[in-house]
Structures are given as C-alpha cells and as structure tokens.
Amino acid sequence: MNVPITVTINGTAYTRDVEPRQLLVHFLRETLNLTGTHIGCDTSSCGACTIMLNGQTVKSCTLLAAQADGAEIMTVEGLATDGKLHPIQEGFWQEHGLQCGFCTPGMMMAGVQILKNNPNPTEEEIRHGLEGNFCRCTGYHNIVKSIQYAAKKSAAM
Amino acid sequence: MSTVVGKPIRRVEDKRFITGQGRYTDDIKLHGMTYAVIIRSPYAHARIKSIDASAALKIKGVVAVFTGKDIEADGMGGIPTGWQVNLINGETMREPKHPILCTDKVRHVGDGVAVVIAEDLAIAEDAAELVQVNYEPLPAVAQVRDALAANAPKVHDELPDNLAFDWNIGDKEKTDAAFATAHHVTTLEFYNQRLVPNAIEPRSAIGHYEEGRDFYTLYTSTQNPHLIRLLMSAFVLQLPEHKVRVVGSDVGGGFGSKIFHYAEEALVTWASKKIKRPIKWTAARSESFVTDAHGRDHQTTVSMAFDKDGKILGLRGHTIAGMGAYLSTFAPAVPTYLHGTLLQGLYTTPAIYYKVDAVFTHTTAVDAYRGAGRPEATYLLERLMDTAAREMKIDPAELRFKNFIPPFDGVTQPGYQTQVALQYDSGNYAPTLHKALEIIDYKNFRKRQEEARKNGKFIGIGFSTFVEACGIAPSAVVGSLGARAGLYESAIVRVQPTGKVSVYTGSHSHGQGHETTFAQIVADSFGIPMEDVEIVHGDTEQIPFGMGTYGSRSLAVGGSAIMKSIDKIKEKGAKIAAHLLEANEADLVFAEGKWTVKGTDKSIPFQQVALTAYVPHNYPAGLEPGLDFSSFYDPLNFTFPFGAHIAEVEVEAETGEVKVTRYVSVDDVGTIINPMIVEGQLHGGIAQGIGQALYEGAFYDESGQLLQGTYMDYTMPRADNLPMFEHSTTVTPCPHNPLGAKGAGEAGTIASTPTIVNAIVDALSHLGVSNLEMPCTPARVWSAIQTAKGN
C-alpha cells in the first residue's frame, strides 16, 4: 500500500505516492531524477547522500521517503540561485575541493551545515564537522580550504 | 608563449560536479531498463550442489534469473588476465578459468552464482532472497603465508598447488657474495596488508543490446573503456568488436580498482541480449568490498647489506604475493614488473636479488591499487633504510645522502641503468631531501624530541625517499615482459571550421582533471582561449583507441599523443598559411595564435587557416581539405618521478593513538602543466598511504571470511585524522616525451606509508620498539609500547 507524500525540494512541491519502504535517497534519485545526490555505501557511513532537511543535514539513506512528508529539502541541485553559485560551490571550485566529484554534493552540504552552526570555524572545527563524509581523492586538505573560502566569502556578503 | 600552461587554472569539469550535473553510470536511465541483483557466495570455498530459482521467478516484476550454467550453455569464456608471467622453470603461468558466474564451485566470499533481473531494484532484491543455493562448504586457505603449505586446500582443483607463478630478478650469486662481505645486515619481516581501494562511487554497469541493429552498448564505471571492450568482446562474449560500444561516463574515483574487466560487465551485456532490454547493476558497498580487486597482500622477508661506512652493498628478499582466487587483469604484473624492478630505489645498490611467489587463496582478487607494486617496493626499501640507520647509529637523512644515485639529466648524461632491468630517465635526488629537511626544520627536531620525551611525550620523525616508474610504457618493452596489450595512447585533435578545437583522448579521467590539463596544453599550443577547447574522453564510439588512465600515465603518454596531433596540425596549417600569405612555408613562425612571415607584420590567424581548411576555395594545390589529425604515441621509456617525504608524528603514550602533526612532501614529477591539480593528486595519494599506515586493512579469518567488509569495520581516513599537507616541488624534466612530464598520480601513496611507520618507530625507538605491523592502530602501538617496557 503506497503512501501519499508532499515534499518541497529546492523550492518545488512534489506530491507522489511512495512505497513505504522507499529510502529518501532513492525517492530523490529514482522517482524525481535528482541524481546529484549520490549513494556511496549501505551503512550510512560515507555521507555522499547528505542533503538538507528542514535546514539540517541528514544522510538521505537513513530516512524513508514517507518520513519526509511535509519537509523542506535542499539538494545540490538547489544550492545555486538564479544561476549564481552558492559560496560553498565557489569555495570548492576555487580551492580545488573536488577531484572525481562523487562525494562533493554531500561534502558541500556538510560544509553548509558547518558554516550555519559557526560562520567562522577553526580548521579543527571544520574537520570535526566533516567526520561523517568520506572523500577518497583529496585527502580533505582542499575541502577544508574550500569551506574556509566559503566562510570568508559569506562574511564579506 | 605560455598563458595557461604551468598555472593553477581552475578546473573546467567542476561546474557540472558542483551543481549536481555529473553523469555517473548509476545516474543513467534507459527506456525499458531493468535492474540486476547478483547472488553471491557467503562461503570462501564451497561446492554448488543446486540452485532453485522457482520461488523467485513467481514474484511479480521478476524478468529472469540466470545461473553460470546458462552462460556456459551459450559457450561464453571466462574473464581473462592481461599479463602473463611464466614460472622460473619456464612453465606457462597457471591461469585457471575465472567464470562470469560460478557453475561448480565458489572460490571466495562474494563469488557470483546467479543473477536476478527485475523491473526495479527492490523487486530484484526481494526475489534474490528467494533463490535457494545449496552449498557444500569446503575448507579454505585465506592467508598468503599458508597458501603453499603441502596440506593447504587447493583453490583450483586442476592445478598441482596454489602457486600461480614464481618469478625472480637480479643476480643471486653476486648478491650473496655482497652479503658475505657485509659489515652490517638489516633484516625485516612483515605483512604489507591487503587494502580495499574504496572509490566512493561503487562500480556500476548497464548492458544494452539493440536487436534492430544487432549492437551492444555497455555503460560502465571504468578507467579503461577500450580495454574493457577488447577483453569482453574478443575473449569473454566473442562479440564482433565493431558491434560493441563501451562508455565510461563520469567515473567517481578508481585508484586502480576500475582498470580491470569485471564479470558484471560481461554479465549485463550478455543478459541484455537474452531479455532484449537494458540491465543496470550497481554494487552495494558491501559488494564492492568483496568484488572490487584489492591491493597489496605481500608477505615479505628482506635484507639489506651495508659496508662500515653505511654504503649499501646489496639487497635480497622474498615475497609471497596474494593473487586472490583468480588472476585479475593486471595482477601478475604488480608484484613482478611493478615491484621487483623498482628495488633499486634511488640508491646505488650494486647487487640485488629478489624472488616472488604469486599464490592463489580463497579471497577476492588482488590487482593494481594506487601505486601497484611500487608502494610495496618503496615500503620495504624505506623501512630498511630507517631501520638500518638506527641500527648503525647513522642519521637516516645522512644514510640516504651517502647512497643516492648522482644526478643525471638523461640528455647530456645517459639514463641510469639499474640492477633490476629498468633504465631511469632523469633524476636529481638529493635536492628533494635537502628541501624537505629544510621545510620541516630537521636540524632542531632531535632537540625537540628529547625535550618532549622528558615531558613524557613521544614524537618521531620518519623519512621516505623514493623513485617510481610511471607513464607505462613502451609497448615492445611491456610485451617482452608479458603484457598482452600495447601501452601507447591515442588522440584526435580536430580543429573545427570556426577554429574551435575538439580533442578525443584515449586517457579517461576518473577525477584527474583531464578536461582542464589537456585543454591548457591545446590552448597554449594554438594560442587560443581554453574555452575554445573541448576534451572528449571515455567513449569507444568517439575515440580511436585508448589504453586508459592508470600508472600516472595520462599526461606523459596521453598528453604526448595530443602533442603529436598538434604538431601535425601546425605543420599542415603552415602550408595553408603560406599559401594565403603568398610566402614560403620556411619563412613562417607560429606564435600567439597566428602564422607570421618572419620580419614582417604580415600574418594570418589560426581561425582563418581553420576556416580555409574546410572552405578550400583559395587553397594549396594537392593538399587535402580539413584540419583533423589522429596520432598514436608509444613512449620510449617509462618515466621516473621521485621525491622526499618527511612526517612528524605524536604518539599518545597512554592510548597508543598516533597523530600526524606535520607532513612535508617534495616531489619531482617533471614539467608541471597545472600545479593545483598536481598538488591535489599528491594530497589524495598521501592520505591513502597514511590510511594504510594507520587505519586500513582487509583481513580474512581462517575460514576465508572478510572481517572488514563494511565501512563500519574498514577504517577509512576521515578529515579529522589528517593534517594540512606541506607540499613543494623540484623540476627535472622527462627527457623522452614532448611535455617533459613524468606523472603525479601515485607518488603520494608510494611515499607516505613508510614515512609514517618510520616516524612512529622513531617516536618509540628509545623504548626499544623497532618494527610495527600495519595498520598501526592504537591497540597495536599501545601493545608495542607495553612489550617494550616489559609489561
């Protein structure tokens, strides 16, 4: 028996009938074709599926789509507004915070959350905030710098 | 004039990745696509007694279930290996069949036995639960050190034992003689542990057979589309190669694990024809852990002999190298030609002998993982150097300076002929170590260390100076060493009528930034903006041929192929320009995007020549229209990047926890096109090497169960485990390729593992700790401290 849900994603409301067992990440990727959110593991460890749900980062593989009924979600596709990149996107581009790009959407979401909690974090605080996200390419060095860049950029805005 | 080459240009490809518009294989949806779930063995070794899929087939939405017998009935082959290393006695390498799905027996946990194909993934997963596989479990051998024991269970019944091949290199007699005269011999015995590559994008493959045109398309997360097409069509499925297209799409990291041809690629391609619909398979991470080829798995005993002044006299050793249950695509090359031939390091060692036994175990296949053989070689050499320095009471930096090969540029001086077959192209080793020592302020370190120890704090410093072989490699050379493929690269450079340029390269980025680096080269070569250049890669329909991206070869080999086509375009362009300018070709120079008659202001821009080539109204007699060249570049030699890495660590005495407090790398990767990308490659490589030293390890229990089969058990380095890296370079150009580039993809991983272990041992050396097994987890380090203290 499917469950009717309405979810607002990146400013657009979607009403769909979902299987009760469908994971939110599968709803985003398979039902809505929002493939910017990635799946990197099956133990909620890697963070590639991290999104913003009601203003907080969550791993979208740990929630059922049905649990997101009524929620406001932001995915990587919603970071830029009117073609203008979000400071976190600019930071990752400027500081070479990505190589293969697969962990990047989740990493950027983690970065947004870190700066939301603390607009001027130390390196240690940034690293602590990234503990839930794996990157195999960058060694995290440039990801830390990307978030520092975004912090500066946001402060100047 | 260089306007973009050598500069940290922001990456062209990033826009799509930071906006969520990357297109990885699992992002692709085809009309009518079905989903596959593979049923895998839970046993390391078992006989398949029966498979009953009747209940699964009753589920609504299940399209088909296939077993190994169905594939066998179609006459399909096994997954081949691409490298042949014969035994020392001349016997042919033992190459047992690697089936797409097993029929009689399973040989490692994760070996595939059946596939369920359904309308969606959830249905396929449900149905897979209902497939009854009746196994008869058999005893297994999981550790390389046990594989050759007389009573070891055999992985392949048709073979006499578990030896795949043995191999040796160097001069045994000369080396034994050198050891006989030694003043000091340092010996180490250790296990270079098995690692799981763990690209964050799990492997994915979509097979799509179109009956109307009798054509197969395979979308797959690969580093190597053409090789997959060749191996799959010629050896596995016996398909006409021109009826097969392989598309790499965006690839989310590989580190070697996506070089190889995997059973799932052949499976979805074969099965798509059976059901006449596209089929997608994407690995769950738990599947990746047991099916992606692993790395390392070397059980090693090695000795180095020194004279009384600390000059190296000889090196000899023996490694039992795990191949896993089957020979993966490049596996035989890894412990041999990518390991044994690197044992000269950057030292003048006059005598070397090394033997390798490559063995089968009931485990996941082992193949090239970032560095592939070279990290293992560097690990043993650099652990020996720091250990010998301590034993002989010589400063570890000093011991290296004493033994470095003197500088040679490969142009005015010849390359350096090693004792183990390779000839190094160019090298100038001491400056990298001098620079690294200066950056880390080595001269004040020992005093700080002593003071820290007085305060009960253990700090240590570790070194690694290394050379590696990249840019693989001359086809004739690798052919003589057993490669079953050439290792050239191809490139089409196509100048469009408007002067925009499309480049089709056989290199295939899986994170390296080819779309940027290659565009920088092309833009500067033609004096055009980077925006006017498009780099196309990863699709066998568009690219003439390719040997893919691995072994730090894309720039040195793929970039050189692009340079060859650029040269041909310039040569033809000059003929067109000379005609339009009514000048002699010999009087023209090309600079800043135009051909100019020397000593005049008469010139014609690149774009006008391009247009003329395609609208050849006023055109040189006898010259073909068009401005489009294809080239193949076969390198003259490997390239040999080198460097010096130094790390400082702090060991928590009470817990054994190791913190990397500083990491300094000075790398010489030849000419650098984009320093930002090179530095990024180093960072990532260093992190992976630190991962091996401190956190990662895939260990099997005696029954052949993988004990670290999820991210809950396999410790990946996280952001809070690593420091900021301090990176610097020296530049010694490669003398034999047009770019002077040597390659930067693997240096970090090769150097960093011994650097860290050396630093930990140094931190604890005053207690008497002289060796540590990897990964150096808090439990192990704490135990070593307790043992040393006599507790």
Side-chain angles (χ1 to χ4, degrees):
Chain A
M1 179 85 155
N2 285 354
V3 185
I5 62 167
T6 297
V7 189
T8 303
I9 301 168
N10 304 326
T12 304
Y14 297 88
T15 300
R16 295 286 188 279
D17 285 346
V18 299
E19 260 197 88
R21 64 173 174 176
Q22 187 181 36
L23 295 176
L24 179 56
V25 67
H26 287 139
F27 176 70
L28 294 172
R29 289 180 54 81
E30 301 297 331
T31 309
L32 302 182
N33 294 318
L34 291 168
T35 54
T37 301
H38 297 149
I39 303 171
C41 74
D42 45 18
T43 48
S44 295
S45 309
C46 79
C49 66
T50 306
I51 58 162
M52 284 284 189
L53 184 128
N54 296 332
Q56 292 288 316
T57 47
V58 295
K59 292 179 177 176
S60 58
C61 71
T62 62
L63 279 179
L64 298 169
Q67 289 174 287
D69 187 26
E72 290 258 355
I73 284 173
M74 184 175 69
T75 67
V76 62
E77 289 92 344
L79 271 175
T81 41
D82 303 329
K84 194 174 172 336
L85 293 178
H86 187 283
I88 199 81
Q89 291 172 306
E90 269 187 58
F92 273 72
W93 200 347
Q94 283 301 319
E95 297 295 338
H96 189 29
L98 62 146
Q99 290 180 26
C100 81
F102 196 81
C103 76
T104 311
M107 280 289 176
M108 291 194 300
M109 288 297 162
V112 169
Q113 179 76 64
I114 290 167
L115 298 180
K116 198 174 167 191
N117 294 350
N118 178 357
N120 188 24
T122 63
E123 181 201 326
E124 200 184 341
E125 286 164 343
I126 292 173
R127 288 182 183 274
H128 181 60
L130 293 174
E131 281 174 18
N133 296 68
F134 290 159
C135 171
R136 195 58 154 168
C137 294
T138 65
Y140 304 100
H141 179 114
N142 285 343
I143 292 178
V144 172
K145 285 173 69 181
S146 301
I147 294 168
Q148 288 169 334
Y149 178 101
K152 265 195 211 134
K153 179 87 187 186
S154 302
M157 272 160 73
Chain B
M1 192 187 71
S2 166
T3 58
V4 287
V5 165
K7 296 198 176 132
I9 303 293
R10 279 9 189 194
R11 296 202 323 173
V12 174
E13 45 274 84
D14 284 2
K15 179 79 183 284
R16 67 176 183 271
F17 294 129
I18 57 177
T19 54
Q21 296 175 75
R23 189 170 183 254
Y24 302 90
T25 302
D26 190 54
D27 298 340
I28 297 169
K29 254 190 199 174
L30 301 177
H31 184 67
M33 192 164 79
T34 61
Y35 295 79
V37 167
I38 296 169
I39 296 160
R40 300 185 180 280
S41 170
Y43 298 106
H45 189 199
R47 201 175 307 285
I48 302 168
K49 295 180 78 178
S50 63
I51 301 173
D52 179 2
S54 54
L57 285 163
K58 284 185 193 136
I59 301 266
K60 186 167 173 265
V62 171
V63 177
V65 178
F66 296 114
T67 67
K69 293 237 164 81
D70 298 314
I71 297 169
E72 204 175 63
D74 266 10
M76 298 296 126
I79 305 297
T81 188
W83 206 294
Q84 182 175 331
V85 177
N86 291 337
L87 279 66
I88 295 170
N89 66 11
E91 196 187 316
T92 307
M93 179 174 78
R94 295 162 181 176
E95 202 175 341
K97 185 172 178 183
H98 179 182
I100 298 171
L101 291 174
C102 298
T103 49
D104 55 340
K105 279 175 112 182
V106 290
R107 295 177 186 85
H108 68 88
V109 169
D111 224 354
V113 295
V115 60
V116 177
I117 299 160
E119 296 292 342
D120 72 31
L121 185 60
I123 296 170
E125 282 172 347
D126 285 346
E129 296 279 318
L130 300 176
V131 176
Q132 296 294 318
V133 185
N134 188 2
Y135 295 99
E136 178 194 344
L138 299 167
V141 60
Q143 321 299 343
V144 287
R145 61 175 185 271
D146 300 333
L148 295 176
N151 60 351
K154 281 203 287 181
V155 181
H156 297 279
D157 295 329
E158 68 277 25
L159 299 183
D161 51 35
N162 288 323
L163 187 74
F165 58 88
D166 60 1
W167 178 87
N168 61 7
I169 194 162
D171 187 330
K172 185 167 191 305
E173 233 168 86
K174 188 174 154 192
T175 307
D176 288 346
F179 272 79
T181 66
H183 167 78
H184 180 85
V185 173
T186 293
T187 297
L188 286 174
E189 194 181 334
F190 57 85
Y191 176 56
N192 196 311
Q193 83 272 31
R194 190 185 266 261
L195 301 172
V196 182
N198 273 310
I200 306 297
E201 179 209 20
R203 283 190 300 113
S204 180
I206 303 170
H208 182 204
Y209 174 71
E210 294 164 86
E211 194 176 20
R213 58 178 191 138
D214 190 26
F215 195 90
Y216 301 81
T217 303
L218 169 68
Y219 301 87
T220 180
S221 46
T222 183
Q223 300 173 220
N224 213 351
H226 283 87
L227 192 73
I228 303 309
R229 186 181 66 167
L230 174 62
L231 293 176
M232 185 175 78
S233 56
F235 298 102
V236 188
L237 302 183
Q238 291 107 40
L239 305 176
E241 199 176 356
H242 66 299
K243 291 284 190 183
V244 182
R245 173 188 181 194
V246 176
V247 184
S249 205
D250 284 326
V251 179
F255 317 108
S257 70
K258 292 174 183 167
I259 300 173
F260 323 120
H261 178 36
Y262 285 97
E264 295 84 1
E265 294 167 326
L267 180 60
V268 294
T269 306
W270 170 83
S272 175
K273 184 173 184 179
K274 287 277 173 203
I275 67 164
K276 298 189 169 54
R277 289 174 65 180
I279 304 170
K280 180 194 277 183
W281 168 82
T282 299
R285 178 57 60 184
S286 46
E287 271 183 297
S288 305
F289 268 100
V290 291
T291 64
D292 290 5
H294 294 172
R296 320 293 186 246
D297 198 18
H298 281 201
Q299 183 70 45
T300 292
T301 308
V302 64
S303 301
M304 202 177 239
F306 295 86
D307 73 8
K308 63 178 178 6
D309 300 320
K311 280 289 270 187
I312 304 169
L313 297 175
L315 176 86
R316 68 183 174 198
H318 175 228
T319 288
I320 309 174
M323 296 281 102
Y326 305 104
L327 292 177
S328 174
T329 309
F330 276 166
V334 176
T336 54
Y337 297 105
L338 293 171
H339 172 248
T341 56
L342 270 298
L343 293 170
Q344 187 81 47
L346 26 64
Y347 310 119
T348 54
T349 313
I352 298 171
Y353 176 76
Y354 209 85
K355 173 146 191 287
V356 174
D357 291 311
V359 299
F360 293 113
T361 53
H362 289 103
T363 60
T364 298
V366 178
D367 205 329
Y369 165 57
R370 202 169 193 171
R374 291 153 288 164
E376 296 91 316
T378 302
Y379 185 77
L380 71 85
L381 287 173
E382 294 308 296
R383 286 286 297 119
L384 281 169
M385 289 302 275
D386 267 31
T387 307
R390 190 170 309 108
E391 288 172 355
M392 297 175 75
K393 297 190 170 50
I394 300 175
D395 181 272
E398 190 51 42
L399 185 65
R400 288 173 170 86
F401 284 124
K402 269 179 197 288
N403 285 288
F404 279 150
I405 295 163
F408 57 102
D409 62 14
V411 182
T412 58
Q413 298 129 324
Y416 182 82
Q417 181 58 52
T418 70
Q419 300 294 321
V420 276
L422 299 176
Q423 191 184 60
Y424 295 167
D425 57 349
S426 58
N428 188 7
Y429 305 130
T432 59
L433 183 53
H434 280 301
K435 202 168 178 180
L437 290 168
E438 197 176 305
I439 294 170
I440 207 151
D441 189 25
Y442 183 53
K443 64 180 188 303
N444 289 312
F445 175 78
R446 293 295 172 198
K447 210 167 79 191
R448 283 204 294 121
Q449 185 179 40
E450 209 170 302
E451 277 163 19
R453 281 173 179 171
K454 276 184 205 152
N455 298 323
K457 289 186 95 170
F458 302 156
I459 64 170
I461 197 162
F463 298 83
S464 172
T465 51
F466 69 99
V467 64
E468 54 159 333
C470 293
I472 58 174
S475 296
V477 173
V478 295
S480 73
L481 303 180
R484 291 165 171 169
L487 284 168
Y488 46 79
E489 197 46 88
S490 82
I492 292 176
V493 176
R494 177 169 299 155
V495 182
Q496 313 285 4
T498 53
K500 312 292 182 194
V501 180
S502 304
V503 177
Y504 302 83
T505 170
S507 299
H508 182 35
S509 176
H510 45 290
Q512 292 83 354
H514 293 166
E515 291 166 42
T516 307
T517 304
F518 288 163
Q520 286 176 260
I521 298 170
V522 176
D524 268 7
S525 295
F526 292 138
I528 58 177
M530 275 180 71
E531 298 77 57
D532 286 3
V533 183
E534 180 78 6
I535 305 294
V536 181
H537 57 99
D539 183 348
T540 61
E541 282 291 87
Q542 300 192 64
I543 290 137
F545 203 78
M547 291 310 301
T549 289
Y550 44 86
S552 308
R553 68 193 299 275
S554 288
L555 186 57
V557 188
S560 294
I562 293 172
M563 287 305 290
K564 271 186 86 170
S565 286
I566 286 171
D567 287 345
K568 291 176 189 171
I569 281 164
K570 281 187 173 170
E571 201 181 310
K572 184 172 180 181
K575 289 188 184 8
I576 300 167
H579 179 83
L580 294 174
L581 290 164
E582 296 176 345
N584 264 331
E585 210 183 311
D587 294 334
L588 297 187
V589 285
F590 184 83
E592 293 177 27
K594 57 191 182 212
W595 280 273
T596 304
V597 183
K598 274 182 241 168
T600 75
D601 59 357
K602 276 175 65 180
S603 68
I604 190 156
F606 176 73
Q607 290 80 359
Q608 195 178 334
V609 168
L611 186 63
T612 307
Y614 289 92
V615 188
H617 297 166
N618 175 16
Y619 203 65
L623 193 68
E624 275 180 41
L627 204 50
D628 179 334
F629 282 100
S630 176
S631 303
F632 281 69
Y633 176 80
D634 201 342
L636 297 170
N637 191 0
F638 292 83
T639 62
F640 295 92
F642 55 89
H645 289 208
I646 307 178
E648 198 177 311
V649 301
E650 192 176 318
V651 180
E652 182 75 46
E654 297 303 316
T655 64
E657 192 179 348
V658 176
K659 191 173 170 201
V660 181
T661 46
R662 283 189 77 187
Y663 197 98
V664 172
S665 63
V666 179
D667 284 275
D668 194 317
V669 298
T671 306
I672 292 171
I673 307 298
N674 187 323
M676 177 191 81
I677 288 178
V678 166
E679 201 169 325
Q681 287 292 314
L682 261 300
H683 292 163
I686 291 166
Q688 271 170 308
I690 294 176
Q692 177 174 21
L694 296 181
Y695 307 111
E696 299 177 40
F699 296 89
Y700 285 86
D701 71 9
E702 293 307 314
S703 71
Q705 289 294 330
L706 177 61
L707 300 175
Q708 290 80 18
T710 74
Y711 282 148
M712 308 298 277
D713 307 292
Y714 187 97
T715 314
M716 293 275 282
R718 295 181 317 211
D720 59 323
N721 298 136
L722 298 167
M724 297 306 274
F725 305 114
E726 300 166 66
H727 174 68
S728 186
T729 53
T730 63
V731 176
T732 306
C734 169
H736 62 75
N737 72 42
L739 291 163
K742 291 194 169 189
E746 296 156 296
T749 311
I750 289 166
S752 64
T753 308
T755 309
I756 297 298
V757 177
N758 281 339
I760 304 168
V761 174
D762 182 67
L764 305 176
S765 58
H766 64 298
L767 305 173
V769 173
S770 61
N771 199 7
L772 282 164
E773 283 287 317
M774 294 190 291
C776 301
T777 57
R780 279 195 173 142
V781 174
W782 183 84
S783 297
I785 295 169
Q786 300 310 312
T787 308
K789 283 178 169 171
N791 293 339

